[in-house]
């Protein structure tokens, strides 16, 4: 039995080495691709979230329970990016 296994391995060795090489590099390339995709999507999300203007709005309270006096449900969410009630506030007065 061991002799048959030895001959089988010797016959398959020219095929197994390139197959393992290609498989290993495929995993490396797929890992790099997934890392790149996750980073790209993360940067896109952060750029979109930085467009939320709530902290500079006159109606933003900064209170945990009532963040915005006009639209409390939309405050600090993506809905607030195009908020029709946004009014710039000069925070130096307070």
């Amino acid at each position: 039995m061991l002799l048959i296994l030895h001959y089988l391995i010797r016959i398959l060795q020219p095929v197994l080495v390139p197959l393992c090489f290609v498989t290993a590099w495929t995993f490396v390339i797929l890992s790099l691709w997934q890392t790149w995709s996750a980073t790209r999507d993360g940067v896109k999300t952060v750029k979109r979230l930085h467009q939320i203007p709530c902290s500079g709005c006159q109606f933003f309270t900064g209170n945990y329970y009532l963040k915005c006096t006009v639209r409390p449900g939309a405050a600090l969410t993506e809905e607030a990016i195009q908020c029709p009630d946004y009014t710039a506030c000069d925070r130096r007065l307070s």
Side-chain angles (χ1 to χ4, degrees):
M1 179 67 176
L2 191 57
L3 192 59
I4 295 172
L5 186 61
H6 176 70
Y7 286 124
L8 185 63
I9 290 174
R10 288 183 67 109
I11 291 171
L12 292 177
Q13 189 173 8
V15 174
L16 287 177
V17 171
L19 182 66
C20 290
F21 177 79
V22 169
T23 303
W25 276 105
T26 301
F27 283 129
V28 168
I29 290 170
L30 286 175
S31 297
L32 292 174
W33 179 264
Q34 288 293 337
T35 303
W36 170 254
S37 293
T39 303
R40 183 189 63 217
D41 293 343
V43 167
K44 188 186 300 183
T45 301
V46 168
K47 283 183 179 180
R48 187 173 63 247
L49 292 178
H50 276 286
Q51 294 175 350
I52 298 174
C54 289
S55 62
C57 182
Q58 174 182 349
F59 303 111
F60 183 70
T61 63
N63 186 344
Y64 176 77
Y65 298 105
L66 182 65
K67 298 174 188 130
C68 177
T69 56
V70 178
R71 296 183 185 269
L76 297 176
T77 64
E78 290 182 37
E79 295 176 40
I81 292 175
Q82 297 296 329
C83 182
D85 297 317
Y86 174 77
T87 306
C89 176
D90 187 12
R91 295 282 182 198
R92 291 179 288 165
L93 297 176
S94 46

